[in-house]
Amino acid sequence: MRTEIDDLIAQVALEDRGALSELYDRTSAKLFGICLRILKDRAAAEEALQDVYVKIWRHADRYTANGLSPMTWLIAIARNTAIDTLRSGHRHSKLTGLDQALALPAPGPTPEGAAIASGETRRILGCMDELEKMHRAAVRGAYLEGLSYAQLAEAAGVPLNTMRTWLRRSLMRLKACLQR
Amino acid sequence: MTGPAHMTPEEAALAAEYALGLLQGAERAQFEAAMRQNPALLGEVHDWQEYFASLTAEVAQRPPARVKRRLLRRMFGARMGALRFWQGLSAVGLAATLGLASVFVFDLPIGPEPAPVPAPVPASQPISLIASEMTAAGEDLRFLAIHDGQALHLRHTAGAAPPGRDLELWLIAGDAPPLSIAVLSDPSDIPNVTLPDPLPEGDLVLAVTDEPLGGAPEGVATGQVRALGTLVPIWQVWR
């Protein structure tokens, strides 16, 4: 799976329209799911999904150097596009700072990244389970729903700074767990 | 995680927040600038991206078919609509390996709505159709096809049939099942062939599959699609 998506992105970088079409068929359900979770509006998610593939088409040549696994790169573009749509209230298919950051070459392949790509999802979810319920909900809310600190704080009924302290502590705990 | 020696605990926290999309405005810009200077920060962000991607394991929702149609129209213009052909093919079990052909249609407006398609020329009049390059994703085979109103001239420009297989040419009109046109036993010497007259209605797509020697049994395609291209009127290509 990993290699095939890799290959398709490489072909898209060569402006192979057939490869884009196949990449869409293979990945659009996940990327649409991500856009829909964040935007919570079908029409907006449909528009965002188009923007996602336009970005992929335009910037596939930057993928090869960045060291992310292919699905992670696609997921990151989908999230960034949906979150930017959500926060700016309008669409744009230019690369955001987040996309550009992802396009920068990584310092080198990281063993952690490779381990994840080969399927350690359960371990990661296990580490999430070690977090307190409310903190876990905040991490998921930020990542899957694209919620801001202000929204997370409001949802939990705590001051923003408290939420930020919670979340940072949760992230460091998560990191420690992942490194075990 | 990458090189904790190269980042402060504050930077490590910012990297995680950045990967979650929690940094905004000046704070985000500031972190992005720092990340450009410091590969360890970028590595940390990438690691978090990989970790968090696992949270999407159960996230999936198939988008409606119109989204892909609009996307291809927006990106490549109005005639990039070989979609019905794709869907038709899946009915005969070919779709898995399909790629859309690289058929370049110049000067058509790219926009949210389809460009007006000129009225079809009656089939009895001479009409020239071209598939400028027939190809498929991941395949080496290339063909050029020109229909001059009388015969189809097919030229093989690259690639070869898999060993022990013959290539076969198909015509797909709209949603109709593929119609066998010719077995291409020797791609370097393809005789001119005739297409049905009058030409069928709908988008005309030429496809090349690999089949058992001698061609598809019972006239039904069984092999993989190795190349395909949409036939478009020549004046749409060069006007």
Side-chain angles (χ1 to χ4, degrees):
Chain A
M1 181 77 177
R2 177 191 167 107
T3 322
E4 289 172 39
I5 299 287
D6 256 341
D7 284 349
L8 286 172
I9 294 173
Q11 287 167 23
V12 168
L14 299 172
E15 305 199 344
D16 180 335
R17 296 171 180 196
L20 181 78
S21 181
E22 192 172 335
L23 185 68
Y24 180 95
D25 291 346
R26 298 271 298 274
T27 58
S28 58
K30 173 158 291 256
L31 302 191
F32 184 59
I34 288 166
C35 292
L36 199 55
R37 274 264 330 228
I38 291 172
L39 291 166
K40 298 177 175 61
D41 175 284
R42 287 194 75 90
E46 287 178 20
E47 290 298 318
L49 187 68
Q50 291 184 46
D51 290 346
V52 168
Y53 284 93
V54 169
K55 281 185 186 175
I56 292 168
W57 174 256
R58 291 192 187 147
H59 304 291
D61 56 335
R62 302 193 192 181
Y63 164 67
T64 43
N66 73 15
L68 288 175
S69 74
M71 276 317 292
T72 300
W73 185 66
L74 299 177
I75 288 167
I77 290 181
R79 274 192 80 242
N80 298 345
T81 304
I83 288 175
D84 283 340
T85 302
L86 189 68
R87 296 196 184 152
S88 68
H90 56 79
R91 306 162 43 202
H92 37 144
S93 49
K94 279 188 178 163
L95 276 193
T96 64
L98 273 171
D99 297 321
Q100 281 161 359
L102 289 163
L104 292 174
T110 61
E112 290 91 344
I116 304 320
S118 66
E120 292 227 356
T121 305
R122 201 175 303 137
R123 189 171 69 91
I124 290 157
L125 298 179
C127 285
M128 285 287 288
D129 284 342
E130 289 185 14
L131 300 180
E132 281 173 48
K133 197 177 166 194
M134 225 167 164
H135 298 181
R136 181 166 71 238
V139 173
R140 290 179 64 89
Y143 187 76
L144 291 173
E145 322 285 335
L147 298 180
S148 65
Y149 267 133
Q151 290 168 311
L152 291 170
E154 197 189 328
V158 297
L160 194 147
N161 282 338
T162 306
M163 175 50 73
R164 188 162 193 178
T165 306
W166 280 8
L167 203 99
R168 281 184 158 205
R169 203 178 292 147
S170 301
L171 290 167
M172 292 310 115
R173 197 167 294 158
L174 196 55
K175 181 172 164 176
C177 173
L178 291 165
Q179 283 175 326
R180 280 210 292 269
Chain B
M1 293 288 167
T2 311
H6 303 298
M7 73 185 114
T8 64
E10 172 66 14
E11 284 176 323
L14 287 169
E17 291 177 316
Y18 182 76
L20 281 177
L22 285 169
L23 297 188
Q24 294 185 53
E27 207 174 17
R28 171 165 148 176
Q30 217 168 7
F31 181 79
E32 283 169 357
M35 191 166 56
R36 282 176 225 287
Q37 305 287 318
N38 185 351
L41 285 186
L42 182 63
E44 184 81 355
V45 169
H46 279 184
D47 283 347
W48 279 116
Q49 293 281 0
E50 297 283 2
Y51 287 130
F52 287 137
S54 301
L55 297 181
T56 67
E58 80 281 18
V59 177
Q61 175 89 42
R62 191 157 293 284
R66 63 173 174 270
V67 181
K68 184 175 182 184
R69 277 199 300 274
R70 285 178 191 158
L71 172 73
L72 295 180
R73 201 187 292 143
R74 171 177 159 190
M75 292 182 71
F76 306 129
R79 295 282 297 190
M80 188 65 187
L83 285 164
R84 271 186 301 153
F85 161 60
W86 276 50
Q87 286 153 1
L89 271 185
S90 66
V92 292
L94 291 177
T97 55
L98 265 192
L100 274 188
S102 303
V103 174
F104 300 99
V105 180
F106 301 107
D107 289 333
L108 288 178
I110 295 174
E113 292 307 317
V117 177
V121 178
S124 56
Q125 291 176 17
I127 171 173
S128 295
L129 300 170
I130 185 168
S132 60
E133 186 180 50
M134 296 171 59
T135 179
E139 298 292 338
D140 301 327
L141 273 172
R142 300 280 186 278
F143 291 89
L144 161 75
I146 296 176
H147 187 255
D148 64 7
Q150 311 276 315
L152 180 76
H153 308 267
L154 187 69
R155 292 292 173 267
H156 170 248
T157 54
R165 306 280 284 176
D166 269 346
L167 296 174
E168 185 157 351
L169 177 69
W170 306 83
L171 176 70
I172 299 115
D175 295 329
L179 179 67
S180 174
I181 300 297
V183 178
L184 315 174
S185 301
D186 181 1
S188 65
D189 180 24
I190 302 175
N192 293 339
V193 293
T194 53
L195 298 182
D197 184 23
L199 286 166
E201 297 280 315
D203 287 341
L204 296 179
V205 174
L206 291 172
V208 173
T209 61
D210 69 277
E211 299 293 339
L213 292 175
E218 297 168 24
V220 177
T222 59
Q224 284 196 25
V225 173
R226 300 291 181 177
L228 76 162
T230 304
L231 281 170
V232 295
I234 214 157
W235 40 263
Q236 275 192 10
V237 179
W238 282 309
R239 72 176 178 178

